[in-house]
Amino acid sequence: MWRTWKENVGLNQIEHDWYLLSFSAKWLGAKRVIYHDQSRAKDMENDYELMLKLHRLLDEADIVVAHNGKKFDMRKINARFILNGLQPPSPYVIIDTMLEARKHFAFTSNRLVYLTDQLCTEKKSEHAQFPGFELWKQCLAGNRAAWAEMKKYNIQDTVSLEELYLKLRPWMEGHPNVAAFSNPTSPACPKCGSHNVIQKGYRHTQVSRYIRYRCNDCGGWSRGRQVVNGKAARANLLIN
């Protein structure tokens, strides 16, 4: 007897292994959303060309933003890469907005649909005509309306994720230092790269003092790298 929850499926029960149907992405700040799918593929299960397009994007990226990307998306993508005979793309850093939300806040839910509904003007879209699994089922059946909904759904996911990332970014600790990509000649925000930063107080460690900065554009805080209290002052500091 089959149940509807937590059933185990043996390998000998799998007729077709999983593969990618579509993906969407965009460069930060760009208007165009990149979208590709298998809607016109002669063999839908052969996702080599789709994965090749995604591989080229990741190979060009320095930083990748994804929601639940570290645990799910990127591992799934890597699995399809190696199964399609592709080499690893050039290394990139993953910023996982779900992990960042969980780390810094105690929201009711860390799901993308909840976070974008609460924080963003661009909301994650719900499946309209084809709810839940029905959307994938109808896409596999070649339903053009389902493919159109899949495209709209994917693109809106990407747009809403970008806004969520920008909302969370000022709160992130250890964000990749994007200013390092531009070789700045004056203090620049490590989170967004802006030079519109102001000195505001000091940040203290157990023995050292650093100038503290606040970015007027993204709102993030950072500190300088040079110690501003001298050796003599530090020599008089005791440690617990």
Side-chain angles (χ1 to χ4, degrees):
M1 181 177 71
W2 291 94
R3 297 175 299 176
T4 59
W5 177 246
K6 289 189 176 180
E7 287 292 339
N8 294 319
V9 178
L11 287 175
N12 62 337
Q13 294 173 291
I14 298 174
E15 292 187 8
H16 303 278
D17 208 346
W18 64 272
Y19 50 91
L20 258 66
L21 286 178
S22 64
F23 76 84
S24 65
K26 74 186 298 291
W27 297 107
L28 183 65
K31 292 183 178 180
R32 175 176 173 251
V33 177
I34 302 162
Y35 175 79
H36 296 287
D37 63 32
Q38 291 286 83
S39 60
R40 300 189 182 280
K42 293 181 180 179
D43 179 5
M44 201 175 295
E45 294 185 35
N46 182 357
D47 61 1
Y48 175 80
E49 292 297 329
L50 185 70
M51 298 312 302
L52 187 59
K53 292 172 183 176
L54 181 52
H55 188 281
R56 288 168 180 163
L57 279 176
L58 292 175
D59 193 56
E60 190 176 349
D62 295 301
I63 300 170
V64 174
V65 178
H67 198 77
N68 197 23
K70 286 188 175 181
K71 184 177 180 180
F72 184 79
D73 296 79
M74 307 319 296
R75 293 168 65 196
K76 286 289 188 179
I77 288 169
N78 288 341
R80 292 311 302 169
F81 281 162
I82 195 169
L83 286 169
N84 276 291
L86 298 172
Q87 296 295 319
S90 59
Y92 52 83
V93 176
I94 302 171
I95 297 177
D96 193 321
T97 48
M98 188 187 77
L99 296 181
E100 293 295 337
R102 183 181 295 167
K103 177 180 178 181
H104 298 289
F105 310 97
F107 292 115
T108 300
S109 171
N110 292 313
R111 294 178 60 200
L112 185 61
V113 64
Y114 177 85
L115 294 176
T116 56
D117 181 65
Q118 296 296 312
L119 299 174
C120 303
T121 57
E122 294 286 353
K123 317 292 185 182
K124 174 181 169 63
S125 63
E126 296 286 356
H127 297 184
Q129 186 178 353
F130 306 98
F133 177 74
E134 189 66 18
L135 179 61
W136 280 263
K137 179 182 177 181
Q138 291 299 320
C139 284
L140 290 171
N143 187 322
R144 304 308 302 175
W147 276 113
E149 185 169 312
M150 177 71 82
K151 180 177 181 179
K152 181 179 179 181
Y153 175 80
N154 275 202
I155 289 175
Q156 185 59 26
D157 258 20
T158 300
V159 172
S160 62
L161 176 60
E162 179 182 38
E163 185 179 355
L164 176 64
Y165 160 68
L166 294 176
K167 288 279 187 178
L168 298 180
R169 183 171 64 179
W171 299 83
M172 295 182 187
E173 297 174 357
H175 187 284
N177 194 337
V178 297
F181 295 103
S182 61
N183 296 318
T185 57
S186 62
C189 175
K191 292 179 171 65
C192 72
S194 171
H195 290 269
N196 188 16
V197 296
I198 57 171
Q199 295 184 21
K200 199 166 185 178
Y202 297 93
R203 180 172 176 178
H204 295 85
T205 64
Q206 284 288 340
V207 296
S208 300
R209 175 187 294 177
Y210 302 87
I211 295 175
R212 191 173 61 186
Y213 294 87
R214 186 180 188 277
C215 179
N216 285 329
D217 288 336
C218 77
W221 289 88
S222 56
R223 69 164 176 85
R225 297 177 62 245
Q226 293 184 337
V227 178
V228 295
N229 55 334
K231 289 183 178 180
R234 295 200 303 276
N236 291 324
L237 293 173
L238 306 179
I239 298 178
N240 292 319

